[in-house]
Amino acid sequence: MTSESTATRYNVKETESKWQKRWDETGCFNVEIDPEKPKYYVLEMFPYPSGRIHMGHVRNYTMGDVVARYKRAQGFNVLHPMGWDAFGMPAENAAMEQGVHPGKWTYENIATMRSQLCKMGLALDWSRELATCHPGYYQNEQKMFLKFLEHDLVYRRRSWVNWDPVDNTVLANEQVIDGLGWRSGAAVERRELDQWFFRITDFSEELLEDLKQLERWPAKVRVMQENWIGRSEGMKVWFGLEGRDDRLQVFTTRHDTIFGATFCAISADHPLSSELAEGDADLTAFIEECRAIGTTEAALEKAEKRGYDTGLRARHPLIEGKTIPVFVANFVLMEYGTGAIYGCPAHDQRDLDFARKYDLDVIPVVIPADANPDEFEVADLAYTDDGVHANSEFINGLDLADAKEAVAVAIENVDIGQREINYRLRDWGVSRQRYWGCPIPIINCKDCGTVPAPEDDLPICLPDDIDFDQPGNPIDRHPTWKNVDCPKCGAAAERETDTLDTFVESSWYFSRFCSPRANEPVDTAAIEYWMPVDQYIGGIEHAILHLLYARFFTRAMKKCGYLDIAEPFEGLFTQGMVCHETYRSDDGEWLQPTQIESGSNGVLKRVEDGSPVQVGRSEKMSKSKKNVVDPEDIIATYGADTARWFMLSDSPPERDLKWTDAGIAGSWRFVNKLWRLVAENAHNEKMAEPSLFNKDLRAVRQQVHQTINGVTQDLEGFHFNRSVARIYELVNTLSNMKSVDAAEQWVLREGLETMVQLINPMMPHLAEELWQQLGNETPLFETRWPQADKSLMVQETVTIAVQIKGKLKATIELAHDVDQETAEATALAEPAVAAALEGKTVNRIIYVPNKIINVVHG
RNA sequence: GCCCGCUUGGCGGAAUUGGUAGACGCAACGGACUUAAAAUCCGUUGUCCGUAAGGGCGUGCCGGUUCGAGUCCGGCAGCGGGCACCA
C-alpha cells in the first residue's frame, strides 16, 4: 500500500479500538433503573463458552446490537447484558480428553470469548456479566429449587433413563444413536432411577392458552410449542374385566367409535401387565422385548405392532354381554393417557394393522355420507374421516361431533367414565448424573427420606478436587463430599449427587440480569422495572425446549412470589443460520475454505498442491464439515463493522445467510467508500440553511427524509437487509452530487450526517468516526435518532403507469395528487396509448391516484 | 403419516392495503484512469424475436376471482423444518 492510499483508506484497527475504548471508559452502556425513562430490554440467547465465537454468534449479537443502539437513540433506557451458559457436558468431555478441570476450561473459554465479543463493538452492559457455573448464580438457583419444593413444583419419582453400561452414565435421548451410546458404542439399557421432576404439566393449559398472547413471536414457534404441548380432548372409560373385581381404565379421543371396539390393549409397563406376568414366562419375555426396543425413535419407527393375548376379556361398557380380548401391546405408551386403550380397527390405522395381524374383528361404525352401510367395508386403510355413524345403536345417523357428545353423555350417565383433557407434554426431568452442573440441594436420609438442605448451607458448591479418570459421576465417587448429617434427625446421611439439567440455568438468567449481584435470586424493584424482555433473539433450535422451560420457570417463580409476570419474552426473533459452501478433495476429505483458492480459469483448487476440489452445497457452518470461517480472522482483516454490515446485508435475518468471500469484500468496499465520501466532503463548513433549493436538491432532500423514514420502519420490523439497501441507494445519490454552491453543500452535509446516523446501529465504529470528522462534538452514542420531516418526503411529481387492459403501455409524469380529468387526458394523449386505442371504444378508465391509469376498451 | 413454511434473473434478494416485477448488493462482460497492476470510476446485464425502432413471453405448474395477481382463492409438484405408535 502506498503512502498516498493510506490517506484515503480507513484505518480500521485504530478506529475500532479507539471507539471501543471510549465506550468502555464512559461506561455509556451500563444502565441503572431510571423511572423517568421508558425501558427497553433486548437480549440475545447467551452463549455456551465452547472456546471461540463462531459466525452464528456474530450474526446473533449483531442483530441484538442493532436493536440496542437503535432503541437507545430513540431515547429508551436500554438493558443489553451478556453472560455465559457455563455448565454442561463439553467441559466434562474436555476434562476426560485433556485432563483439564471443567471449571478452568470454562473460565478460560469465557475469557477468550469475552475478548472476541469486545472486538465486535457491542453496546453491552458488561457490569452485569454472569456465568451460571459461578456459585453466586447457582446458589440462587438452589434457593429457588427449595422454594419450588415448598410450593409443590418439584417432586421425585422413579423414572426410566437411558443407561450406558460402559461409561456408567445416563444418556440424553440425543446421545443414543441407533440404540448405542454415542461415546462408548455400548448397547444402551433402560434403567429405573430416582429422579427429580418439575411440574411443568401443571401449567399445560396455561402455557398453551397464553401462546395466543405472544403476538410478537413467530407463528412457527407458537405452532411448534402448541404441538409439543399436544392437547387432546377425549374420555376416560372403565372396562369391566371378566373374572376380576377390578376394572381397566382406557383413554380415547374417539369415543364415538366405541361400538366398533374389538379389543383392549395395555402398555407393557402397565401395572396389570406386571401382575399378569408373574408366573407367565412368555408374557415376561414379551414385556422385556418391548422395553428393549423402547429407547430409540428409529427402532420405534420400524417396530411392527405386536401384542400378547393375556387371555383376559373386557366387558364392553355399552353393549350388554359383549366381551373383547385384552392384549399387552408394544405400541401403547404408559406415559400417555391411562396406559390402556380400546382398539377400533375400522377407524384407526394402528388398530387396524394390529387387528389384521391377530385376526380380530373389524367393524365399521362410521361410514362416508354417501356409502351404503351394508356394503361399506374397511380393507387395509382405516377410515378416519367424518361421516355417518352406523352399527352403533343410539348414535346411528349422527356425525362425528354429535356422536361424541351422545356417547359422552351416555357414559357419564351410567358413571363408567368421564370427559378428560390429555396433554402430550410430560413433566420436566431435571436430574443429571453429572459433575459440571448445579448441585441439587437435597439430603437423602435413610429414615427421613429426601430432606431439603438448610438454606444457611447454600451455596452447596461443587467439590473442586475431582478426577475424571474413570467412567461414571465423579461427584458420586468423591470420598467425602456427599457425607453429611441429616438436618432433620442428625443421623449420617448423603447429599444428592445428581446435578440439575443445564436448561434450568437458562430458564431464569434473563431475570437475574436485572439484578445480577442481588443476594436473593431477583430484586423486586429491578425485575419490575426491566422485565419482561422486550426483544429476545436467538436460534430457532430453541423453539421448543428452552423457550417452553423459560415460560414455565417464570410462572413457577411467579407462584413463589419472585416476580409478577407470566411471559418472560414479549418479542421473539429467531434468526437463520450462517452457511458456507463445502469442499472436499477427490478422496473425500473435507477441506477448509482457507485451503481453497480460485485458479486462473475460475475453477477452485487446493492451495497446497493445486489438486482439484469438489464443491458441495452450502450448509450450516460446522467443524465436522470444515466449512467454517473464523470471525476473529475476519475482524482482524476487515474490522467488526464490515463483518456486522455483511451479516445484515442481503439475506433477511430470519433466513439462512450464505457466507461468501465476495460478500465480505463487498462490505469492505462499502466501508471504504463511505470513508472516502465523508473525507472528501468533511471540509465543508456547517452553515445556515439556505432559503431556496432547486428541484434536484429538493429531490435529494426528499430521498434523505424518505430514507430516515424507511430505515426506521425497517429496523422496527427487523428488516435489516432492506435498511441496508436503502442506505446503499442514499449513498449512491450522495456520491453522485456536485457540491459546488452553498445550497448543494448544505444538502450534501444534511445527507451525509443523516446517513452516518442511520448506519450507526449497524456500523457503530465507522459511524462515530465519520460523525466526528463531520465536525460533531457530541458522540453518536449520545445523539438522538434523526427525525424524518414528513413535509419533505412528499414527491412533487409522480410517475404514473398507463395500462391498457392491464398491460403497461406508457408511463407519464404528473404532479402529485393531480385530478382525474387531467390524468386521463394526459394518458390518452400519450402516443403509444393513442395508437393502441385507435378505432376502439373506451369502456372504462380506472384511475388510482399517483399510481396507475388502466384503460379498458371494447 | 400429520402439522407448518418456502418456491421471483447467473446468485442473495426488493416490490405498503392487489396497482410500472426484478430496487439494492454480488457475479459477469465492456470501457476509462495507469508504464503495469491494485484500488477507483463509467456503462451493459430476466428471456426470446429484431440491425434498429419496437414487440412477444416472463415471479414452480394448472385453473379461478379481478379493469389489473409475485400478492387473493382452489388443485398439483418440488424443497425445507417440526412432530411422530400420543389412542
Side-chain angles (χ1 to χ4, degrees), chain A residues 197-244:
Chain A
F197 287 84
F198 284 161
R199 284 196 202 276
I200 189 170
T201 57
D202 277 8
F203 298 85
S204 300
E205 185 62 35
E206 200 184 324
L207 289 167
L208 179 69
E209 192 57 28
D210 290 353
L211 283 172
K212 292 180 194 140
Q213 296 169 23
L214 298 174
E215 285 166 18
R216 290 206 297 116
W217 277 43
K220 181 185 182 163
V221 175
R222 295 196 309 235
V223 168
M224 279 162 73
Q225 291 211 353
E226 207 176 299
N227 292 339
W228 187 262
I229 295 168
R231 183 184 199 271
S232 61
E233 289 182 19
M235 289 199 84
K236 273 185 180 169
V237 184
W238 291 104
F239 280 62
L241 293 170
E242 279 205 320
R244 294 176 61 109

Side-chain angles (χ1 to χ4, degrees), chain A residues 246-430:
Chain A
D246 56 344
R247 299 181 297 174
L248 182 66
Q249 192 179 40
V250 306
F251 176 72
T252 178
T253 56
R254 286 296 303 273
H255 35 284
D256 63 296
T257 64
I258 195 159
F259 291 101
T262 57
F263 68 94
C264 278
I266 60 175
S267 164
D269 298 324
H270 196 282
L272 183 59
S273 300
S274 320
E275 187 199 317
L276 295 170
E278 281 171 36
D280 184 339
D282 288 346
L283 179 53
T284 306
F286 180 74
I287 291 172
E288 287 297 313
E289 259 179 77
C290 291
R291 286 183 183 162
I293 300 175
T295 42
T296 74
E297 281 175 32
L300 276 178
E301 204 173 326
K302 287 180 201 121
E304 63 175 324
K305 290 170 190 34
R306 293 178 53 217
Y308 180 92
D309 191 344
T310 62
L312 273 181
R313 294 195 74 85
R315 281 190 286 271
H316 193 287
L318 294 180
I319 305 174
E320 189 62 38
K322 173 164 180 162
T323 64
I324 56 177
V326 178
F327 284 77
V328 175
N330 64 350
F331 65 90
V332 180
L333 304 175
M334 192 58 219
E335 302 86 54
Y336 186 77
T338 60
I341 61 158
Y342 74 72
C344 177
H347 307 292
D348 182 290
Q349 194 59 46
R350 283 161 311 174
D351 295 350
L352 184 62
D353 295 345
F354 190 79
R356 293 297 182 217
K357 189 172 170 75
Y358 294 101
D359 203 22
L360 302 165
D361 290 342
V362 177
I363 308 171
V365 291
V366 188
I367 61 170
D370 53 359
N372 181 342
D374 299 327
E375 289 169 9
F376 184 76
E377 274 182 28
V378 167
D380 292 328
L381 218 57
Y383 179 76
T384 54
D385 292 343
D386 198 353
V388 176
H389 282 72
N391 303 320
S392 295
E393 304 192 358
F394 60 89
I395 57 168
N396 281 339
L398 299 184
D399 69 9
L400 200 143
D402 290 345
K404 271 191 180 174
E405 178 61 25
V407 169
V409 169
I411 285 176
E412 282 171 345
N413 279 345
V414 291
D415 204 21
I416 50 166
Q418 68 273 322
R419 282 177 242 231
E420 171 128 333
I421 293 163
N422 253 308
Y423 300 89
R424 211 188 69 106
L425 184 66
R426 307 283 151 75
D427 273 338
W428 173 16
V430 292

Side-chain angles (χ1 to χ4, degrees), chain A residues 814 817-824 847:
Chain A
L814 290 172
D817 277 342
V818 77
D819 64 277
Q820 181 156 359
E821 268 172 51
T822 314
E824 284 181 9
Y847 175 52

